Amino acid sequence: MKTTSRKVYIETLGCQMNKSDTERILGILSHFDYAKGTEDEADFLIINTCSIRKLSEDKAYSKLGVWGKMKQRKPDIKIAICGCVAQQEKESLLKKFPYLDLVFGTHNIYELPELIEELNRKNPDGTSNRICAIRDKAVAEKEFNIIRSKGINAWLPIMEGCNNFCTYCIVPYTRGRERSRNVETIIAEAKKIIKDGFKEITLLGQNVDSYGKDFPEDENGNKPTFANLLAELDKLEGGFRIRFTTSYPTDITDDVIETVKNANKICECFHIPMQSGNDRVLKAMNRRYNRAQYSEIVNKIRTKIKDVTITSDFIAGFPSETEEEFLDTISAINEFRLDYSNTAAYSPRPNTPAGRMTDKFIPSDIKKERLARLNDTVKKASLASNTKDIGKIYEVLVEKINENDEKNGYERIAEGRSRNNKVVHFKSNTAQIGDFINVEIKEALVWCLKGEELNMKDTVAATLEASEEAR
């Protein structure tokens, strides 16, 4: 057996898709005798970047600066940048960071074997190559190992890219147009994930509800749909859950809602970014819906699916947003009873239409103040959502064990998530990571629930009581 002598360290910034890309990069590199290592011991340093906000881009550049100093002490190490910043900035990164060896983008991860070979090839004068490999179209997917992060959840991309071109968003320019993976490949990967012992699969896509729209029609004029894919995955054997993210409001079909309602393994949770509660701002963002349409889809989901959790994203201080328009966002969170929302102050991105609205930019102090109020509203909404769960019984998938939890009297505390994605803490002497345990909710905090583990007898009694109530 060949002994692995080289180490690679990857710093991953940004979204779940980037985390999934990192797992694939590690798998590809394992074929070239690279093993995962620490930052200090690595022969190959890679930063997988996010450009959704300027802060993420600045973090990437700061890390490259640190690595440049490391290379002064260890000149043989290789440094690479990939992800959305690489796709966006291209050759300019080699000029900006003279110690950078490789730039590759979101479209050509599967080209990495050829890039590594070229990177390691010495020129006649003894110098090494510096490479920028950015593609406008995706390189075909190839079969390599995937080295997934340890835990109970596995990321499973079903599509990549976006066709929506929201005026504030860089994703269509860095990830490209929507591209769906074929059903057979996804099912095969899901089976491997289950076989490897993961208890939860999260389906990834910039807009999962668009899955299959880029495929040609079959002889009957049909295409695979997201609802079809969910139904097929739900049929797979094993004790596991399925989640998905992200959904675009007006692309969520009745078929998807019905599939989630009737499924055994698909979790009752929708992440549906709204971004603003005001119709004029939504139009300026090039979002293809208004407040009334968002309300309609949220109410439809809540009517159909019991105990469903609906989460969202919001931007504070989009160019030209007035105080009154911002207050529409605050009221939307309350009106639609959103369980939790991610928030951010508007960050101008290069090459986007909103980034060119410089005469309409909101001053930083106002954006900061609005974001603070938005976060306060989200906290109150989260507490209100959690308070409604007191007395309910949730199946919790254990993700973490705190053997001597100081905050809870040094008890053994298990932490996990309910099917509808609520974080639950409960005392247990026997729970292990990966267990599914029924818990009765006793207390609600802002970001989590506290509960009491039920034994089998309690669970049966509770199930019978719920059946009687339903009748």
Side-chain angles (χ1 to χ4, degrees):
M1 183 174 177
K2 198 169 183 178
T3 303
T4 299
S5 57
R6 296 186 292 184
K7 300 287 187 181
V8 59
Y9 172 81
I10 305 180
E11 180 115 351
T12 306
L13 306 175
C15 67
Q16 296 99 323
M17 190 69 79
N18 272 17
K19 294 174 184 177
S20 176
D21 285 348
T22 289
E23 293 175 343
R24 282 162 165 71
I25 292 168
L26 286 170
I28 292 169
L29 290 175
S30 71
H31 290 264
F32 298 88
D33 301 317
Y34 280 99
K36 191 174 178 180
T38 65
E39 191 171 358
D40 291 333
E41 69 184 357
D43 306 286
F44 194 9
L45 296 164
I46 303 174
I47 186 155
N48 190 354
T49 59
C50 170
S51 60
I52 201 76
R53 297 187 190 92
K54 189 176 186 302
L55 179 61
S56 297
E57 192 173 333
D58 290 344
K59 282 182 180 179
Y61 294 157
S62 176
K63 179 57 70 173
L64 286 177
V66 172
W67 289 352
K69 293 177 181 177
M70 288 175 61
K71 195 165 185 174
Q72 291 175 359
R73 303 190 308 271
K74 298 166 61 179
D76 290 336
I77 63 174
K78 300 293 185 182
I79 301 175
I81 184 171
C82 64
C84 291
V85 172
Q87 188 72 33
Q88 174 186 316
E89 298 298 325
K90 305 179 176 65
E91 292 89 350
S92 66
L93 293 169
L94 292 179
K95 297 176 183 177
K96 191 171 185 178
F97 302 99
Y99 42 81
L100 186 60
D101 298 289
L102 173 62
V103 179
F104 64 102
T106 58
H107 293 342
N108 60 329
I109 286 172
Y110 291 99
E111 197 179 16
L112 198 50
E114 292 80 9
L115 298 178
I116 295 295
E117 185 177 343
E118 186 179 348
L119 192 66
N120 291 329
R121 189 185 299 122
K122 292 286 186 181
N123 295 316
D125 61 357
T127 61
S128 299
N129 293 307
R130 299 180 72 218
I131 304 163
C132 178
I134 302 294
R135 305 289 177 254
D136 293 330
K137 293 185 178 180
V139 172
E141 184 175 339
K142 300 175 185 176
E143 190 171 341
F144 284 103
N145 292 335
I146 301 172
I147 299 180
R148 301 186 187 278
S149 299
K150 292 181 179 179
I152 56 102
N153 178 74
W155 311 114
L156 175 49
I158 64 169
M159 64 179 302
E160 187 175 356
C162 184
N163 293 350
N164 290 319
F165 288 90
C166 301
T167 58
Y168 55 83
C169 187
I170 198 84
V171 168
Y173 307 97
T174 58
R175 288 282 177 179
R177 296 298 185 96
E178 292 171 353
R179 307 180 304 281
S180 303
R181 302 176 74 199
N182 68 62
V183 174
E184 293 76 19
T185 300
I186 294 169
I187 297 294
E189 191 169 327
K191 288 180 177 178
K192 178 70 165 54
I193 288 169
I194 298 162
K195 184 179 179 182
D196 288 344
F198 289 92
K199 299 294 185 178
E200 192 168 272
I201 300 172
T202 301
L203 308 179
L204 298 180
Q206 272 75 33
N207 181 12
V208 289
D209 299 277
S210 286
Y211 176 80
K213 290 181 180 179
D214 55 316
F215 286 145
E217 294 180 348
D218 64 18
E219 60 274 12
N220 298 315
N222 298 319
K223 296 182 179 185
T225 67
F226 184 47
N228 298 151
L229 178 64
L230 285 174
E232 289 302 311
L233 289 167
D234 192 60
K235 294 176 186 175
L236 297 180
E237 295 183 1
F240 67 98
R241 292 174 173 176
I242 300 168
R243 299 190 186 278
F244 56 86
T245 189
T246 298
S247 293
Y248 193 90
T250 48
D251 290 340
I252 301 172
T253 65
D254 290 346
D255 286 345
V256 168
I257 297 171
E258 286 295 323
T259 301
V260 174
K261 174 186 175 183
N262 298 321
N264 293 314
K265 298 181 174 70
I266 304 170
C267 293
E268 296 80 11
C269 183
F270 286 76
H271 183 65
I272 316 174
M274 189 181 189
Q275 305 300 2
S276 172
N278 177 267
D279 285 352
R280 189 199 69 81
V281 176
L282 287 171
K283 188 173 182 180
M285 289 177 167
N286 195 34
R287 300 292 283 180
R288 297 179 288 104
Y289 54 87
N290 55 32
R291 183 174 176 129
Q293 289 171 306
Y294 190 92
S295 175
E296 181 182 357
I297 188 66
V298 166
N299 289 332
K300 185 184 293 185
I301 291 170
R302 291 203 188 281
T303 300
K304 292 276 187 179
I305 303 174
K306 181 184 178 183
D307 289 330
V308 68
T309 292
I310 298 177
T311 59
S312 192
D313 295 343
F314 289 97
I315 296 171
F318 182 80
S320 79
E321 178 189 68
T322 67
E323 171 66 14
E324 291 73 20
E325 289 168 340
F326 170 71
L327 291 177
D328 285 342
T329 291
I330 298 291
S331 68
I333 292 173
N334 296 322
E335 178 183 337
F336 305 142
R337 294 175 290 131
L338 297 173
D339 299 278
Y340 173 78
S341 297
N342 299 313
T343 63
Y346 171 72
S347 176
R349 298 287 72 213
N351 305 317
T352 61
R356 294 189 287 270
M357 299 177 185
T358 53
D359 60 322
K360 299 177 181 178
F361 281 1
I362 306 296
S364 296
D365 58 335
I366 294 177
K367 287 196 295 185
K368 185 177 179 180
E369 189 274 334
R370 287 181 186 173
L371 181 60
R373 279 189 282 157
L374 185 58
N375 287 337
D376 186 57
T377 302
V378 169
K379 284 183 180 180
K380 292 175 181 176
S382 179
L383 180 59
S385 171
N386 287 344
T387 300
K388 291 185 298 183
D389 292 328
I390 294 174
K392 293 180 180 179
I393 295 171
Y394 283 147
E395 178 194 74
V396 176
L397 173 54
V398 179
E399 299 177 356
K400 186 189 299 184
I401 299 292
N402 299 310
E403 292 291 348
N404 293 289
D405 194 290
E406 184 178 354
K407 294 180 181 178
N408 291 278
Y410 295 96
E411 297 278 6
R412 187 177 189 271
I413 302 297
E415 178 183 330
R417 290 180 186 268
S418 61
R419 285 175 60 99
N420 63 355
N421 212 31
K422 297 290 186 77
V423 175
V424 181
H425 295 185
F426 61 97
K427 183 173 71 173
S428 177
N429 294 321
T430 58
Q432 300 296 325
I433 292 174
D435 286 350
F436 293 92
I437 294 177
N438 287 324
V439 176
E440 183 175 359
I441 305 305
K442 298 292 188 180
E443 183 182 354
L445 303 178
V446 173
W447 306 125
C448 70
L449 301 167
K450 290 187 176 183
E452 184 177 298
E453 180 180 5
L454 298 181
N455 58 37
M456 186 61 69
K457 183 178 178 181
D458 292 334
T459 301
V460 172
T463 302
L464 290 172
E465 184 178 344
S467 300
E468 287 295 327
E469 288 180 1
R471 285 199 289 269

